Amino acid sequence: MVMNYMLSEEEQLLIETAKIVANEKIKPVRQYYDKNEEFPWSIINELAKADLCGVYIPEAYGGLGKGIMGLILVVEELCKIDAGIALTLAATALGILPILLFGTSTQKKKYLPDIAAGKSIAAFCLTEANAGSDVTAINTTAIQDGDHYIINGNKCFITNGGEAQVYTVFVKTNTDKGLRGISCFIIDKETQGFAFGKKEHKMGIRASSTRELIFNNCKIHKDQMIGHIGAGLIIAQKTLNYSRPGVAAQALGIATGALYEAIHYAKKRVQFGKSIITFQAIQHMLADMATEVEAARAFLYSCVRMIDAKISKRISKESAMVKLFCSEVAMKVTLNAVQILGGYGYLQDYNVEKMMRDAKITTLYEGTSQIQRNEIALGLIKETVINE
Amino acid sequence: MNKIVICIKHIHNIGINYFDLYALEEGVQLKEQNQDNSKVIVFTMGPRGSESTLRTAISKGADEAYLLTDDKFFKGSDTIATSYILATAIKLLVGQYKIIICGKKTYDSGTEQVGPAIATMLNIPHVSYVREIKSINQRRLTVERVVDDGYETIRSSLPVLLTVTNGVHKPRIASIKSKLLARKANIKIFNAYDLDINTSKIGLYGSPTQVVSLYTKKKKLKKKFSGSARYIVSSFIKQFNNSI
């Protein structure tokens, strides 16, 4: 927490502002939103008022132009207090990234300013009941009809589903072309033939909405396509390369929050006539937790600096590594935080219980830890081919 | 144009004085409610380092900021001298104003005197411990102030000086864009010479009261009692009787 990463003054300003909003606005209501599984619109409004919604969006579109670094600093800071509420912001970034990275200037002008201003939020829609890690198995189709496409099928587990105004949806435009048969469309919430299904009840990140999307002869103009026809898979992969550090930042924030709770509890908790932080067993646990958290942070920041510098097109391996590492650290650290709090840690009255539940998702979504390892291994194989 | 004047204090190592945030918020809300190009003008008297507090005020909605600073002549000013400097500056630099708002007290010295003294020197009415401005027009306002066992509603003519408590309007969180703009904002700096002030009324010599020494209160040694409840109580009473 005192390690210095030479952040710029403006980056420190982002952190400082996110910290104020997290402590003043989110902390008092985090248990309420977790318990009631209510979508935190009032908090999104606060984030918008503080200019935190568009930190990664270029200034030309009303954002602050602080890149993925800006995004991860804000997400980390918010997740120290509550990952469920912060996810609305991170998932919006994921949902809007296909437009940011591959959209036409007309599409950017139409969608980015409202996202930057916090007037609308977005959702990334890839997963289907039978297509999780295996993207190519998606069944939702888009059939061309003159200047339009007719979309049919269902998406599931969509973060911000039902609440977002903008959906970037991956569909099959050609069922015979496999990997090259996938395309990506921007679909507005109010579009006819687009409806919402079941809302999921989750272990953690319960303030975030996770819903099924139903497309029933949903008619979309061809101008709503992102990139060219058949580019969907590449768009999805590149988007995930940029968004995985965001998941890593959630994980890092949760881990940091849990570490903080554990230290403070260990100082206060007296057993055998002493505060338990004087016991070496506790000290060593805290030391390992702190070391892992700091290593995760150093890895994440340097990885994101590299991504923002745009010095390399190949970032999928590093982006997978950092997501894998940070999420695994979050799971370990939150488990140990609960362990240090003992029975109290298992109670909902103490924050580490929620942090442990929230941490788990970071090892699952945007690719499980196992999928990240596949990605890393693939990167290793490709790299060595190029070098040889 | 309606000018709303806010007097704030910079506290070393802390920044803007807590109650001054409420004074500022009340002023900025007044400006936002009246769409008649009102302007919020903040003043502070203090060392050069007080500039950061003025930038905080700008990031939270103030339009103009004045720093009254003079190492030679302002140093050692007590509440009367400070009020004199602020009143002189307001008279000279603002002229006509609708309202002056101050925090009810400062966090460090906490005399609660500067606000009312400024009003006296400017020859305008003042209302202290205000928690909310209920209504305001061009000629008068109605406020609710906190008294010992409840609230009092007061009507006053304008201009008026209010000192406010942590009232109904919670201070806003400055947005990132406003903080970035505040960093570049022009802070107007005035010294004793610029204000053409009577130096016999300010600083150490112009202050009827002077701080002779300042120290942190030492904590008395705490004694720990342990054992049975009966033993703890009896030994505590014994100790207590001995100490008084």
Side-chain angles (χ1 to χ4, degrees):
Chain A
M1 288 168 225
V2 286
M3 179 79 188
N4 194 323
Y5 291 99
M6 313 296 164
L7 299 176
S8 73
E9 251 185 80
E10 292 190 354
E11 285 165 347
Q12 287 173 36
L13 193 64
L14 301 182
I15 296 176
E16 179 195 297
T17 307
K19 189 176 190 167
I20 295 171
V21 176
N23 281 296
E24 288 188 18
K25 304 292 179 187
I26 301 179
K27 206 175 194 175
V29 296
R30 59 179 166 182
Q31 282 200 344
Y32 170 85
Y33 282 107
D34 180 56
K35 203 169 252 173
N36 295 289
E37 298 188 290
E38 194 178 306
F39 197 77
W41 275 113
S42 69
I43 305 294
I44 294 170
N45 190 31
E46 296 292 343
L47 295 170
K49 280 198 286 183
D51 295 330
L52 288 165
C53 290
V55 287
Y56 56 96
I57 292 175
E59 285 171 285
Y61 300 105
L64 294 171
K66 296 289 166 247
I68 302 293
M69 192 69 191
L71 174 69
I72 61 136
L73 291 174
V74 169
V75 168
E76 178 194 345
E77 205 53 48
L78 297 177
C79 286
K80 287 179 189 173
I81 300 299
D82 187 283
I85 292 174
L87 177 58
T88 57
L89 194 83
T92 293
L94 169 65
I96 210 71
L97 267 170
I99 301 176
L100 200 58
L101 296 171
F102 299 96
T104 61
S105 74
T106 314
Q107 289 169 340
K108 288 180 186 175
K109 272 184 212 149
K110 185 176 172 190
Y111 291 103
L112 296 183
D114 277 357
I115 297 285
K119 285 183 196 158
S120 80
I121 61 170
F124 180 83
C125 318
L126 183 62
T127 304
E128 292 180 12
N130 296 315
S133 300
D134 178 11
V135 176
T136 55
I138 60 174
N139 266 328
T140 302
T141 53
I143 308 297
Q144 190 157 12
D145 176 19
D147 280 348
H148 291 82
Y149 282 86
I150 310 293
I151 300 182
N152 279 293
N154 291 4
K155 292 282 172 187
C156 71
F157 300 167
I158 304 305
T159 307
N160 286 348
E163 307 290 340
Q165 283 78 33
V166 189
Y167 297 80
T168 44
V169 186
F170 294 85
V171 295
K172 278 224 168 121
T173 36
N174 189 330
T175 44
D176 302 327
K177 276 194 168 175
L179 297 176
R180 289 194 179 79
I182 299 169
S183 303
C184 180
F185 287 91
I186 312 167
I187 303 182
D188 294 321
K189 187 181 183 181
E190 288 77 21
T191 311
Q192 252 198 346
F194 177 22
F196 302 100
K198 189 181 169 230
K199 188 179 167 177
E200 307 296 343
H201 303 286
K202 307 183 293 294
M203 173 195 276
I205 52 162
R206 287 161 55 86
S208 169
S209 129
T210 309
R211 259 179 112 160
E212 187 186 14
L213 313 183
I214 302 162
F215 299 98
N216 186 9
N217 290 327
C218 178
K219 197 172 170 187
I220 299 294
H221 195 271
K222 66 177 176 24
D223 289 349
Q224 292 296 92
M225 189 188 284
I226 302 178
H228 57 82
I229 192 159
L233 190 69
I234 292 174
I235 293 172
Q237 282 171 338
K238 294 239 162 144
T239 295
L240 290 168
N241 288 347
Y242 280 85
S243 70
R244 277 174 185 145
V247 180
Q250 293 165 33
L252 176 60
I254 299 169
T256 310
L259 172 63
Y260 177 88
E261 297 280 347
I263 295 169
H264 281 258
Y265 181 85
K267 277 183 167 176
K268 275 196 206 145
R269 172 70 169 170
V270 175
Q271 288 289 276
F272 308 105
K274 289 179 194 160
S275 94
I276 64 167
I277 204 163
T278 61
F279 301 137
Q280 206 172 42
I282 301 287
Q283 287 179 354
H284 284 191
M285 283 174 85
L286 288 171
D288 284 342
M289 289 156 76
T291 307
E292 282 172 328
V293 165
E294 211 57 74
R297 183 173 293 117
F299 188 17
L300 175 61
Y301 288 6
S302 48
C303 182
V304 174
R305 286 266 189 246
M306 183 194 84
I307 292 174
D308 277 344
K310 297 188 169 64
I311 41 176
S312 170
K313 278 188 174 176
R314 296 182 180 277
I315 55 166
S316 61
K317 187 190 78 189
E318 287 70 23
S319 143
M321 278 177 165
V322 80
K323 194 259 187 192
L324 169 68
F325 189 78
C326 292
S327 60
E328 296 287 326
V329 163
M331 208 55 237
K332 260 194 278 183
V333 168
T334 52
L335 274 170
N336 279 332
V338 171
Q339 193 68 24
I340 288 171
L341 267 79
Y344 288 107
Y346 202 64
L347 302 182
Q348 290 185 351
D349 307 332
Y350 288 76
N351 300 313
V352 290
E353 176 265 348
K354 175 178 178 301
M355 288 168 168
M356 185 178 134
R357 286 190 281 111
D358 287 348
K360 188 59 208 166
I361 190 65
T362 63
T363 70
L364 304 173
Y365 63 11
E366 294 187 39
T368 59
S369 291
Q370 289 66 35
I371 289 292
Q372 305 308 321
R373 288 184 175 97
N374 289 356
E375 196 73 47
I376 295 162
L378 189 65
L380 292 174
I381 295 164
K382 280 184 185 168
E383 265 173 23
T384 45
V385 166
I386 293 163
N387 289 341
E388 269 156 16
Chain B
M1 186 203 297
N2 289 313
K3 291 180 183 171
I4 301 161
V5 175
I6 317 287
C7 298
I8 64 177
K9 184 178 184 181
H10 172 79
I11 299 179
H12 187 59
N13 281 340
I14 291 179
I16 189 168
N17 176 47
Y18 173 76
F19 288 105
D20 298 349
L21 282 172
Y22 286 88
L24 179 67
E25 183 60 36
E26 210 58 46
V28 175
Q29 294 227 358
L30 269 186
K31 175 181 90 169
E32 289 169 348
Q33 283 157 21
N34 305 315
Q35 304 291 333
D36 50 359
N37 70 349
S38 298
K39 200 183 223 180
V40 174
I41 306 168
V42 280
F43 280 88
T44 193
M45 195 284 279
R48 275 304 293 257
S50 310
E51 201 183 307
S52 62
T53 277
L54 289 172
R55 293 197 190 279
T56 303
I58 291 173
S59 74
K60 288 172 186 278
D63 301 292
E64 262 178 55
Y66 290 94
L67 171 60
L68 314 175
T69 188
D70 194 314
D71 284 346
K72 190 174 170 197
F73 292 110
F74 290 175
K75 226 174 184 174
S77 293
D78 71 354
T79 53
I80 297 267
T82 302
S83 311
Y84 180 70
I85 295 165
L86 285 164
T88 306
I90 293 168
K91 226 186 288 179
L92 179 78
L93 303 169
V94 184
Q96 297 285 320
Y97 48 84
K98 190 174 184 179
I99 188 168
I100 302 174
I101 312 175
C102 305
K104 79 160 182 175
K105 67 172 189 177
T106 54
Y107 232 51
D108 46 0
S109 43
T111 63
E112 310 190 14
Q113 291 168 359
V114 171
I118 294 171
T120 308
M121 288 169 186
L122 293 171
N123 205 21
I124 59 169
H126 84 265
V127 187
S128 54
Y129 311 131
V130 170
R131 71 189 285 267
E132 191 182 8
I133 297 170
K134 289 285 191 191
S135 67
I136 183 164
N137 59 31
Q138 282 310 315
R139 292 187 302 128
R140 61 167 68 94
L141 58 54
T142 307
V143 298
E144 193 170 81
R145 72 188 288 265
V146 181
V147 289
D148 276 348
D149 44 8
Y151 303 106
E152 200 170 57
T153 304
I154 304 247
R155 195 164 64 204
S156 166
S157 61
L158 294 175
V160 65
L161 183 143
L162 309 178
T163 76
V164 300
T165 179
N166 44 353
V168 289
H169 297 131
K170 223 173 162 264
R172 69 194 56 198
I173 295 172
S175 74
I176 295 169
K177 282 179 188 165
S178 66
K179 280 180 186 168
L180 289 170
L181 284 174
R183 289 207 316 214
K184 294 182 202 144
N186 177 27
I187 307 280
K188 294 162 188 147
I189 301 174
F190 286 78
N191 61 20
Y193 176 80
D194 302 326
L195 294 175
D196 195 18
I197 204 164
N198 181 350
T199 50
S200 69
K201 285 185 158 186
I202 57 171
L204 211 53
Y205 294 110
S207 295
T209 61
Q210 289 172 8
V211 179
V212 181
S213 76
L214 211 62
Y215 63 94
T216 313
K217 208 173 150 188
K218 277 195 187 121
K219 280 181 187 160
K220 292 251 173 72
L221 181 75
K222 282 183 199 159
K223 196 174 156 61
K224 201 172 170 182
F225 300 97
S226 53
S228 70
R230 185 179 292 272
Y231 176 76
I232 292 172
V233 171
S234 67
S235 46
F236 173 72
I237 289 170
K238 206 189 271 173
Q239 172 86 19
F240 186 69
N241 284 336
N242 287 342
S243 65
I244 53 170

